[in-house]
Each structure stands twice: as structure tokens, then as C-alpha cells.
Amino acid sequence: MTYLHVLFLIVVANGAPIIGRWLVNGRWATPIDGGAVFIDGLPLFGTSKTYRGVVFAVLATPVVAMGIGLTWDIGLMVAILAMMGDCLSSFVKRRLNLPSSSMALGLDQIPESLLPLLGVWQQLSLTWEGIVATVVGFFLVELGLSGILYKLHIRKHPY
């Protein structure tokens, strides 16, 4: 059951910024890169990575972790590393000259699920096979949920 718990936490960590944007009606959307550009002249992360999103992820995930029988610090680690993975994806996408919120299949899902799993693998005694299966599971769940959230007008894009 541990893998399902961690998968659920990764979904919460990555979904909290989207739900948070919807809950506060788009307010508090300050980009975490402050509009900074990298040496290539392109944005560091882009406008879709906001303090609001990080705050919602960091607040929601530990609470959910405790609600499903894990410790708050596991939830916090998952949230922080999911957000770091999301920023890494955005950084790479900017280097590839892809606009904010554009789809990059795999790049949008793997870092934001793999980093949290690597961060908690020892505490939860995860295996490499289980980590790979959970990344694949997140990939599939994220693609399915994105479409649903888009149809509910919670997500701006269907991916």
C-alpha cells in the first residue's frame, strides 16, 4: 500500500498548485523566478511557476500525508521535491524554447514524480522496481486527471 500512498501524495503535491490557482481565482501569481532570465536570454522557469503554487503544495501535501497514515515530514519532502522537479522540467522546457504551460510528454511527469520518490525511498523502503512503477503510474494518472480538470474548468490546458 505504500506505493499507492506515495503516488497519491505526488498527485496531491502536483495538483495543489492547480487547485490553489482555482481556489484563489488566480490571485497571488508572482513567478518564483521573479522574471529572471538565464544566460540564453530566456526565462529561468516562466510565469506558470508561482509562489502560490509552491505554498499550496507545501501546505496541502503534509496534511494529506498525515490523513493517509504517513508522517508530515514525508509529505513535506514529497511536496518540496515535486515542486523542484516541476521547476527542473520548466527550466529544461525554456532551454528548448517551449512556452510556459506547453506540453512536453514525459518531461512534464518524470522529474516531478521521480525526485520525490528518490527523496523518500529510504524512509519508506521503496524498491527500484516500485519507484519505476510509481513513476509510470503517475504519468498515467496525471494525463487522465489533466483532462478531467480541464473539462471542469479548473485547469487551463487539457494536458
Side-chain angles (χ1 to χ4, degrees):
M1 195 61 134
T2 300
Y3 290 102
L4 290 177
H5 287 106
V6 178
L7 173 61
F8 185 62
L9 285 184
I10 293 169
V11 170
V12 168
N14 285 288
I18 296 163
I19 301 298
R21 178 182 43 78
W22 179 72
L23 285 174
V24 299
N25 201 23
R27 292 186 302 266
W28 308 310
T30 304
I32 60 175
D33 67 7
V37 296
F38 195 58
I39 57 175
D40 58 8
L42 297 171
L44 197 58
F45 302 124
T47 57
S48 65
K49 302 300 159 229
T50 65
Y51 286 110
R52 174 193 61 223
V54 172
V55 167
F56 270 94
V58 166
L59 292 177
T61 312
V63 171
V64 170
M66 291 185 298
I68 61 173
L70 295 172
T71 60
W72 68 269
D73 56 320
I74 293 287
L76 182 62
M77 179 69 73
V78 167
I80 290 169
L81 291 174
M83 293 298 95
M84 288 176 67
D86 196 23
C87 286
L88 174 62
S89 297
S90 291
F91 178 80
V92 172
K93 285 167 57 174
R94 297 305 82 78
R95 307 297 63 81
L96 296 173
N97 209 21
L98 297 172
S100 284
S101 299
S102 63
M103 183 177 184
L105 200 58
L107 181 57
D108 285 325
Q109 296 84 19
I110 294 171
E112 60 196 50
S113 58
L114 182 58
L115 287 181
L117 288 162
L118 294 177
V120 299
W121 77 275
Q122 285 184 316
Q123 296 95 316
L124 299 178
S125 301
L126 304 178
T127 65
W128 287 108
E129 296 85 4
I131 289 171
V132 170
T134 306
V135 169
V136 170
F138 175 75
F139 180 85
L140 298 172
V141 168
E142 198 268 341
L143 290 178
L145 279 179
S146 290
I148 293 167
L149 293 175
Y150 176 73
K151 287 180 181 177
L152 294 173
H153 304 287
I154 295 171
R155 191 172 178 107
K156 291 181 179 181
H157 305 282
Y159 47 81

